[in-house]
């Protein structure tokens, strides 16, 4: 990891040793204090209850030995009789710090039971019970059966907020128990990742002064390690929500609006059988409706025992999929063929697309650095890969993991892959050789980009960024359909023509028009064929604010990140969201976009000439064109989504991918190697690095805790409450980390 260009460090056969030793030499203090902080947090903070109860005198008694009301004792537990007064009155000679309920033999480990309760305190000389907020415990998670009573009174009342007749399988209770030491590999992983941000990317890190070399072993190692960490975080997010278990089969709602979670599996099966309509049962009542798109008429079908499928296109008596068809072709059809007829679970396709996208995100930012920025650093590249991985909105899709997320996550994957292939296709000028465009890479770039029209059309505008990318090759080197560039010219256009033609034929087969994607025939919460929305200027500022600048909503109790209230004066498709807006929750590091007018101003011409590669003026114009076009497209899509789709965190990725792409260019321009070396003592440079790493850390932790946010819309397990499914024991295990609070 050289401070300057040239062989300042002796190269050896082992490319890892010199860099690693130099890094340790300059960062050992930060490494030491970060690791010390992890040890202190793991041993003495998260496990504080262990040390607090080391000298405790436990009092283990049957539940029946304590004063109770509103409960009926039974073998192995008790029943709730009076829901508003079902409580256990616990009195102790010593102040009560912790309590522990003991499962009886009647508790079924394979079917955990969620129990809602409240803790009340009775102060000395008083009989009034002061209750806190409702909390939950799970019989399948032993750590969740501990209660922190505060250690300030000797009389604690536990009230069970459950319906009458609920059986609670607790037969004993321990006052002031010994709490065992608890280690969590997941917690350690999160702490290590958060610490690595500061170790590797902290303001004083040598990686900010190290020129990126994608052929050097140590650089490749760090890039691969960073990518694997991003992929692991995706998997944790996906696994914790258990959407891979919830989004299967049908959900038969009592209101007659059914959900089919295997939409793409059904579509793939239909295509394999030679038709584009979905093989779903169609009720006679739906066929008899004069206007099936009228929600009132569909709701009335339940009175006759009829039903309709929610969020499916219904046209001329058949169900269709209005989302793009290409994910069904690339993920679901091959799986069904290989597996002998089984359907790929929807959530697995979402995860796979996100993981592949993470790989191409790192390849893309590395290619951007090598192609446009002469002084790009390893530190910037590592941060840039996390900016795309965290700030694009893909984590929202991983959280949902439903068929809604399939086209968005697929377009995310195709866009990053296509952009990398396009940049890879541009051959830089070498001594004695002319520049050119690789036909193969150009072909695959266009192929991947064109696939967006069959996934999420909002990503199609990314294809127009080919104009500034290939501007020099087309207008300066005049390669377009030239003798030298004929194959590249043909192969960059051919896949676009083929994919668009196939999609248009697909539309024509379904709806009789090549430009009809079927979105207006969707059976949703309002009649999309006749719907009139409020005027564009009336609601637009409100919805834009929710998307971009809704303040972060934090609390001091697990899960710390709460939903935000999205008030609207008139009815509109509005979902509640976890955390906050794009710049305040999902991608706070993208706030550097607002500094771009100054960063690329004429006042910094000399600075920019030291930063860009090759022909400085041409590179500067290309970058500014890329930034302006991407911001314009992202903002236009934001406005379109606001007007036509309303507000939902699911749509953040539509414009977020454009903004994060621009953020990468701004980041490389702000912090080239020469700035980090020559202006190392500048408070502005230090503050910029500090804020970027701080925002990354906050976003990382907030995204993790937002997994467990109560009331978050989108997941089958968390629609109304974080604890809907007691089988999802992850939430209780993570909540138990904060027993000390």
């Amino acid at each position: 990891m050289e401070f300057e260009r040239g062989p300042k460090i002796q190269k050896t056969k082992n490319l890892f040793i010199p860099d690693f030793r130099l890094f340790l030499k300059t960062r050992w203090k930060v490494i030491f204090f970060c690791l010390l902080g992890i040890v202190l947090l793991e041993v003495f903070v998260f496990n504080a209850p262990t040390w607090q109860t080391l000298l405790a005198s436990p009092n283990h008694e049957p539940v029946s030995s304590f004063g109770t009301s509103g409960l009926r004792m039974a073998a192995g537990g008790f029943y709730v009789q009076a829901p508003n007064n079902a409580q256990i009155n616990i009195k102790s000679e010593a102040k009560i710090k912790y309590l522990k309920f003991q499962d009886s033999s009647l508790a079924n480990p394979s079917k955990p039971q969620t129990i809602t309760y409240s803790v009340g305190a009775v102060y000395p000389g008083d009989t009034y019970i002061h209750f806190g907020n409702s909390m939950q415990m799970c019989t399948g998670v032993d750590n969740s059966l501990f209660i922190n009573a505060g250690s300030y009174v000797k009389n604690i009342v536990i009230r069970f907020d459950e319906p009458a007749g609920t059986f609670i399988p607790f037969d004993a209770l321990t006052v002031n128990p010994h709490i065992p030491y608890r280690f969590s590999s997941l917690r350690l992983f999160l702490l290590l990742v958060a610490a690595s941000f500061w170790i590797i990317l902290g303001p004083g890190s040598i990686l900010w002064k190290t020129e990126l070399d994608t052929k050097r072993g140590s650089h490749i190692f760090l890039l691969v390690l960073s990518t694997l960490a991003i992929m692991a975080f995706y998997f944790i997010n996906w696994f914790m929500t258990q959407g891979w278990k919830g989004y299967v089969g049908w959900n038969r709602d009592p209101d007659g609006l059914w959900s089919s979670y295997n939409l793409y599996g059904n579509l793939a099966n239909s295509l394999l059988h030679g038709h584009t309509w979905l093989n779903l049962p169609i009720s006679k009542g739906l066929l008899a409706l004069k206007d099936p798109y009228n929600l009132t008429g569909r709701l009335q079908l339940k009175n006759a025992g009829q039903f309709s499928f929610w969020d499916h296109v219904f046209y001329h008596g058949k169900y269709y999929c209005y989302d793009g068809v290409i994910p069904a072709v690339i993920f679901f059809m091959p799986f069904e063929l290989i597996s002998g007829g089984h359907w790929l679970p929807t959530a697995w396709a979402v995860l796979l697309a996100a993981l592949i996208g993470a790989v191409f995100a790192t390849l893309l930012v590395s290619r951007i650095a090598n192609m446009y920025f002469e002084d790009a650093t390893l530190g910037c590249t590592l941060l840039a890969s996390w900016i795309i991985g965290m700030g694009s909105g893909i984590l929202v899709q991983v959280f949902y993991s439903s068929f809604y997320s399939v086209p968005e996550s697929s377009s995310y994957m195709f866009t990053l892959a296509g952009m990398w292939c396009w940049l890879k296709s541009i051959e830089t000028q070498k001594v004695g050789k002319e520049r050119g465009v690789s036909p193969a890479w150009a072909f695959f770039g266009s192929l991947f980009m064109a696939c967006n029209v069959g996934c999420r059309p909002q990503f199609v505008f990314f294809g127009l960024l080919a104009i500034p990318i290939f501007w020099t090759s087309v207008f300066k080197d005049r390669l377009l359909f030239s003798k030298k560039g004929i194959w590249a010219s043909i192969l960059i256009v051919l896949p676009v023509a083929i994919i668009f033609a196939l999609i248009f034929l697909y539309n024509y087969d379904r709806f009789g028009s090549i430009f009809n994607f079927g979105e207006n025939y969707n059976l949703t919460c309002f009649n999309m064929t006749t719907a009139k929305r409020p005027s564009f200027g009336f609601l637009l500022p409100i919805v834009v604010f929710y998307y971009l600048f809704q303040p972060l909503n934090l609390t001091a109790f697990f899960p710390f990140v709460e939903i935000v209230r999205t008030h609207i004066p008139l009815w509109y498709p509005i979902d509640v969201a976890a955390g906050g807006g794009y710049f305040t929750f999902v991608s706070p590091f993208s706030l550097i976009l607002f500094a771009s007018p100054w960063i690329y101003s004429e006042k910094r011409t000399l600075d920019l000439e030291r930063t860009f590669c090759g022909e400085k003026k041409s590179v500067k114009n290309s970058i500014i064109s890329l930034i302006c076009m991407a911001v314009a497209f992202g903002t236009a899509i934001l406005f379109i989504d606001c007007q036509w789709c309303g507000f939902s965190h699911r749509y953040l990725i539509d414009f977020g991918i454009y903004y994060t792409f621009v953020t990468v260019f701004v980041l490389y321009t702000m912090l080239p190697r020469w700035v980090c070396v020559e202006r190392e003592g500048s408070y502005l440079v230090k503050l910029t690095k500090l804020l970027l790493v701080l925002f990354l850390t906050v976003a990382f932790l907030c995204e993790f805790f937002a997994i467990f946010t109560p009331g978050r819309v989108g997941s089958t397990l968390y629609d109304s409450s974080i604890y809907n499914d007691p089988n999802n024991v992850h939430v209780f295990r993570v909540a138990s980390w904060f027993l000390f609070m």
Side-chain angles (χ1 to χ4, degrees), residues 16-34:
F16 292 90
I17 294 177
D19 288 343
F20 185 66
R21 288 176 178 172
L22 181 59
F23 181 76
L24 287 179
K25 184 177 179 180
T26 57
R27 297 295 284 173
W28 71 267
K29 291 182 180 179
V30 178
I31 295 173
F32 172 77
F33 283 109
C34 284

Side-chain angles (χ1 to χ4, degrees), residues 52 78 152 186 274 299 308 422 458 522 635:
Q52 292 171 337
F78 50 87
Y152 63 103
L186 172 60
L299 287 173
S308 64
W422 271 350
Q458 282 87 332
N522 189 33
T635 304

Side-chain angles (χ1 to χ4, degrees), residues 618-668:
S618 176
V619 171
K620 176 184 176 182
N621 292 338
S622 295
I623 291 175
I624 292 178
S625 299
L626 278 168
I627 289 175
C628 291
M629 290 180 69
V631 170
F633 293 151
T635 304
I637 291 168
L638 167 64
F639 290 165
I640 292 171
D641 279 355
C642 288
Q643 178 66 11
W644 292 99
C645 305
F647 173 83
S648 173
H649 257 194
R650 285 193 295 113
Y651 305 135
L652 281 173
I653 196 171
D654 290 346
F655 59 87
I657 185 67
Y658 292 91
Y659 290 167
T660 50
F661 181 72
V662 172
T663 302
V664 169
F665 281 91
V666 176
L667 174 67
Y668 278 127

Side-chain angles (χ1 to χ4, degrees), residues 130-359:
H130 300 268
F131 282 103
N133 292 332
S134 291
M135 297 183 291
Q136 288 79 21
M137 62 177 68
C138 180
T139 59
V141 182
D142 186 70
N143 292 339
S144 75
L145 304 184
F146 289 98
I147 297 174
N148 189 335
S151 188
Y152 63 103
V153 294
K154 299 180 180 180
N155 188 358
I156 293 293
V157 177
I158 307 298
R159 183 179 65 198
F160 296 94
D161 303 321
E162 295 287 347
T166 302
F167 178 74
I168 299 177
F170 295 150
D171 56 6
L173 189 152
T174 303
V175 179
N176 291 326
H178 290 298
I179 299 178
Y181 186 91
R182 298 167 293 171
F183 171 77
S184 170
S185 56
L186 172 60
R187 183 170 63 213
L188 180 61
F189 169 79
L190 295 173
L191 290 174
L192 286 173
V193 172
S196 69
F197 293 155
W198 296 93
I199 293 172
I200 296 176
L201 299 174
S205 173
I206 193 177
L207 300 189
W208 291 105
K209 307 173 187 177
T210 304
E211 183 182 347
L212 176 67
D213 184 356
T214 53
K215 296 181 180 179
R216 192 171 181 83
S218 56
H219 293 205
I220 296 173
F221 173 76
L222 283 178
L223 289 170
V224 170
L225 189 65
S226 175
T227 305
L228 290 175
I230 295 173
M231 295 169 73
F233 190 57
Y234 289 167
F235 179 80
I236 289 169
N237 193 302
W238 176 85
F239 185 75
M240 288 288 182
T241 62
Q242 288 192 334
W244 49 281
K245 290 171 59 177
Y247 285 120
V248 293
W250 296 352
N251 180 23
R252 306 191 178 194
D253 295 329
D255 57 8
L257 302 177
W258 290 9
S259 298
S260 175
Y261 297 127
N262 296 114
L263 177 62
Y264 271 97
N266 198 328
L267 176 58
N269 181 265
S270 298
L271 294 175
L272 289 173
H273 285 82
H275 55 82
T276 57
W277 45 267
L278 303 178
N279 187 21
L280 290 172
I282 303 172
S283 66
K284 295 180 179 179
L286 180 64
L287 291 172
L289 287 177
K290 184 178 180 181
D291 184 4
Y293 310 107
N294 187 305
L295 179 60
T296 302
R298 282 183 284 127
L299 287 173
Q300 292 174 349
L301 290 178
K302 68 177 182 179
N303 298 327
Q306 302 289 313
F307 62 91
S308 64
F309 281 98
W310 177 260
D311 265 353
H312 284 54
V313 168
F314 188 72
Y315 184 74
H316 287 182
K318 295 184 182 298
Y319 285 111
Y320 295 90
C321 173
Y322 74 86
D323 286 320
V325 67
I326 287 182
V329 175
I330 64 168
F331 289 127
F332 293 84
M333 288 176 65
F335 183 86
E336 184 171 348
L337 290 171
I338 295 171
S339 65
H342 295 287
W343 291 6
L344 175 68
T346 302
W348 286 93
V350 176
L351 177 65
L352 182 59
L355 295 180
I356 296 174
V359 175

Side-chain angles (χ1 to χ4, degrees), residues 462-479:
F462 243 102
L464 296 178
L465 297 183
I467 297 173
I469 289 175
F470 293 104
W471 184 272
T472 300
S473 299
V474 172
F475 295 100
K476 185 173 183 179
D477 299 332
R478 300 183 182 277
L479 294 177

